[in-house]
Amino acid sequence: AKQNALKEGGAKVPLIAYPHGGPHSNMGQEHYAACALLVLHGYSVLLVNYRGSTGYGQAQVDSLCGKVGRQDVDDVMDAVDLALKTSPHLDAGRVGACGGSHGGFLSLHLVGQYPDVFKAAAVRNPVTNIATMYGATDIPDWCYTETGSAALYEQPDAAQYSAAALMSPMAHVSKIMAPVLLLVGGDDRRVPPSQSKEFYYALKERNAQVEMLWYDKHTHGLAETPKGEGDGLVNICYFFEKNL
């Protein structure tokens, strides 16, 4: 129907890549409120189960450990390229990224690594710098495992810190040209608010376009109150309306 509308002179549709968090989870066939709201507002939403997602066997899950920020980013980018090549109703000039937690990590990587492709990113409680999260998160084992180290719960050495920093969106912050929206839970213990604040100040220092919405007494999913979840979704839609 969209392709027929395009042939009849209809406008092309902006695309939003929406990678899941985890990273070891998946996008299934259930209802996702954020995705539904974006579709109702006229966006095509691309859900990507990149390598490392669950549901494809343990080897696929293990394949991502030590390769975050590269393998998962490449997979999402490949999916975006394929969607743009095979769906003529999509507008290659209006591509955005959106996600929470590791999905936010990937979204920020996308606007940093592919600044000519992605024009905006809206993220919820994203991991921005694994190197500064070891001693702040309630799951320090995640930092070790995803960067390819054994979870020994010891102070990381210089090589581990360096590898973690290079795998993080912060390594590409200087290349970001797209507007960024950060939605932050003030009481998040999984991905502490310091992660978003660190990225916010790095972008501000470079005079980049960035906005941070702070939800006090909310945690990782911003789902404690209708204000947190609902206000976040509305602001994501408003953000993309302004920037895509």
Side-chain angles (χ1 to χ4, degrees):
K2 290 178 180 176
Q3 293 186 27
N4 290 336
L6 181 59
K7 291 176 182 178
E8 295 170 4
K12 287 195 173 187
V13 180
L15 174 66
I16 296 176
Y18 203 107
H20 62 74
H24 308 299
S25 62
N26 64 71
M27 287 289 196
Q29 296 180 333
E30 62 265 35
H31 175 79
Y32 298 105
C35 299
L37 190 59
L38 288 169
V39 169
L40 287 171
H41 279 76
Y43 303 97
S44 284
V45 179
L46 180 63
L47 309 181
V48 184
N49 284 329
Y50 45 84
R51 285 172 294 165
S53 302
T54 54
Y56 301 90
Q58 190 62 41
Q60 283 290 327
V61 170
D62 294 341
S63 73
L64 183 56
C65 298
K67 299 176 184 175
V68 292
R70 183 69 282 144
Q71 177 175 292
D72 43 4
V73 175
D74 289 344
D75 286 357
V76 177
M77 189 64 225
D78 286 346
V80 169
D81 280 340
L82 182 62
L84 293 174
K85 289 176 182 176
T86 58
S87 303
H89 67 279
L90 297 177
D91 188 345
R94 291 191 293 163
V95 180
C98 184
S101 194
H102 194 81
F105 169 92
L106 291 175
S107 296
L108 294 178
H109 261 298
L110 291 167
V111 292
Q113 294 192 40
Y114 301 98
D116 294 332
V117 176
F118 291 88
K119 308 304 182 185
V123 295
R124 169 188 50 79
N125 290 321
V127 175
T128 67
N129 189 350
I130 303 172
T132 59
M133 206 170 83
Y134 281 100
T137 178
D138 65 350
I139 50 167
D141 53 308
W142 184 94
C143 300
Y144 291 93
T145 301
E146 300 308 329
T147 55
S149 299
L152 300 176
Y153 300 98
E154 296 177 349
Q155 182 73 19
D157 59 27
Q160 288 174 311
Y161 276 127
S162 178
L166 291 173
M167 293 180 190
S168 301
M170 189 62 75
H172 305 279
V173 69
S174 63
K175 296 179 286 185
I176 292 178
M177 299 185 294
V180 172
L181 173 66
L182 300 160
L183 293 89
V184 186
D187 288 343
D188 189 359
R189 296 183 180 179
R190 186 61 34 95
V191 179
S194 56
Q195 289 284 300
S196 289
K197 291 170 71 175
E198 185 176 342
F199 208 76
Y200 175 83
Y201 290 124
L203 288 172
K204 275 291 187 182
E205 183 182 9
R206 291 163 175 81
N207 294 315
Q209 188 176 339
V210 59
E211 181 181 0
M212 181 166 61
L213 300 180
W214 189 274
Y215 296 90
D216 196 28
K217 298 182 180 179
H218 286 71
T219 58
H220 196 51
L222 301 184
E224 281 76 11
T225 68
K227 179 184 184 330
E229 189 169 22
D231 184 78
L233 294 180
V234 169
N235 274 286
I236 287 172
C237 287
Y238 181 58
F239 170 79
F240 283 125
E241 184 178 318
K242 290 189 299 181
N243 296 294
L244 277 188

